[in-house]
Amino acid sequence: ARFGNDRAGSILIRELKEADIDTSLVTISDTNPTAVCIVCVHEDSERSFLYSFGGNNELSPDHVDTSKISIGDFFHLGAAMAIGESRGELIIPLLKSLKEKQVFISVDTSFDPYGDWWPSLSPCLPYTDVLFSNEIESTYLTGFEDPILAAKKFHEAGAKVIVIKLGHEGSFIYSKNWEGFINPFKVNTMDTTGAGDSFCGGFLFGLEKNWSLEQCGVFANAVGAICVETLGATTGIKSFEETKIFMKKYDFTNKWIW
C-alpha cells in the first residue's frame, strides 16, 4: 500500500500497528493523499461508494519490497481492480516474482472503475492460487451470472481455486478436486461493509490451518455473517473463539473439529 503523508495515513498506520501488523513495507507519498472510500449505507443495508485512489495511483514496482517474503508465505491482493492507473505495470510483475519465490497468492476482485474487467484481471490468473470474487463482479468479468460457469471460466484461465461470494445465499467453491455451494448463516443484516474482506480473511485463516476447502468456506461464511450484524467495516469482527460460539448454533458446522 501507499499512503499519503496526512492524518488519514497516520490513522491507518496506528490501526495496523494496534492489530500487530507489520507496516514496514507501507510507503508514503508526499504528493498524493491517502486513498479514501466513503461508504453510503442504504436502508436495505446495501451500499454505494465514493472513492479516491490517492497514493495508490502512484504504486509502481519501485514501491514493492519482496525481500521479507519467504517460501510458503501467504500474499493477498485485495481490491485488485481498484488499485489505480498503475495496476497493469505493478500487479503482473509482482505476482510473477512472488510465484518464483513459491509464495501462496490469493486475489480478491473489486468493482472496476475503468471498465476493463476481464482484460485487466485475466493475466493475473495463472499466478493465482485462490481467486475471490462476488456474484456481481464475477458476472461483469466472465459474462456468466451462473457462479458455476463463472468459476469454470476463471479456472480455465489459470486460477486454481475459485471462491464466489454470494451474500445471503452463502458461497460457491470450485477447484480441480472439489466443488460445492456452502450454506449461509442467517443473521439480521445491518451493514454489509467489510463482509467480503472478512470472508476472505476467514477463508485464508482456514487454509493456513490446513482445513478442507469446504470447512474454509463454512468458517468464511460465519466470519462474514458476523461482520454484517454491526454498523461499520471492522466493528463486527470477532475473535476465533467468539466465532466458534456463533457457529455452534448451526447444525451443519458440527461435522468438523474447530
Side-chain angles (χ1 to χ4, degrees):
R2 187 164 174 80
F3 299 162
N5 187 15
D6 52 25
R7 184 171 180 271
S10 298
I11 292 173
L12 287 173
I13 292 289
R14 184 191 69 212
E15 293 286 332
L16 290 169
K17 288 182 176 179
E18 288 178 356
D20 199 27
I21 296 173
D22 183 2
T23 62
S24 62
L25 297 181
V26 174
T27 58
I28 303 298
S29 171
D30 290 321
T31 56
N32 268 304
T34 302
V36 173
C37 182
I38 299 174
V39 183
C40 304
V41 182
H42 303 271
E43 291 183 354
D44 61 358
S45 78
E46 290 302 322
R47 305 142 302 151
S48 298
F49 300 91
L50 301 174
Y51 190 76
S52 171
F53 287 112
N56 284 340
N57 263 335
E58 296 180 352
L59 277 171
S60 73
D62 294 336
H63 298 134
V64 180
D65 179 9
T66 61
S67 62
K68 293 186 177 181
I69 298 176
S70 304
I71 293 176
D73 282 350
F74 280 55
F75 176 85
H76 180 68
L77 178 63
M81 321 296 292
I83 285 181
E85 297 172 355
S86 61
R87 61 186 177 178
E89 66 181 34
L90 170 69
I91 294 177
I92 303 305
L94 173 61
L95 297 185
K96 184 177 180 179
S97 66
L98 291 172
K99 190 49 65 178
E100 290 172 351
K101 286 176 170 281
Q102 300 179 49
V103 170
F104 185 95
I105 296 174
S106 57
V107 174
D108 187 22
T109 67
S110 60
F111 193 85
D112 188 348
Y114 297 99
D116 296 333
W117 293 106
W118 184 256
S120 179
L121 179 69
S122 58
C124 303
L125 299 181
Y127 307 105
T128 303
D129 294 293
V130 176
L131 177 72
F132 297 99
S133 191
N134 64 32
E135 70 273 33
I136 296 174
E137 293 157 11
S138 62
T139 298
Y140 274 108
L141 283 161
T142 67
F144 295 116
E145 293 185 5
D146 185 334
I148 299 175
L149 297 178
K152 287 182 177 180
K153 182 169 182 176
F154 287 133
H155 189 262
E156 289 169 357
K160 293 180 177 64
V161 176
I162 297 89
V163 184
I164 309 293
K165 296 169 281 186
L166 301 174
H168 68 276
E169 296 182 355
S171 56
F172 175 72
I173 301 173
Y174 183 89
S175 71
K176 180 180 179 180
N177 299 317
W178 190 86
E179 65 177 277
F181 286 91
I182 307 296
N183 288 330
F185 292 85
K186 300 298 184 180
V187 296
N188 294 319
T189 302
M190 179 176 293
D191 179 9
T192 57
T193 307
D197 291 323
S198 300
F199 178 98
C200 293
F203 196 93
L204 295 173
F205 177 85
L207 288 180
E208 197 275 333
K209 286 185 167 293
N210 293 315
W211 292 347
S212 68
L213 293 178
E214 184 181 9
Q215 186 174 3
C216 289
V218 170
F219 184 74
N221 277 358
V223 176
I226 294 171
C227 177
V228 305
E229 290 185 301
T230 308
L231 188 66
T234 60
T235 48
I237 304 300
K238 304 298 183 183
S239 69
F240 181 42
E241 294 302 320
E242 290 172 314
T243 305
K244 289 195 293 183
I245 292 172
F246 168 82
M247 291 191 296
K248 285 182 179 179
K249 297 181 291 184
Y250 298 83
D251 291 339
F252 66 87
T253 69
N254 295 331
K255 63 186 290 187
W256 297 282
I257 298 174
W258 300 96

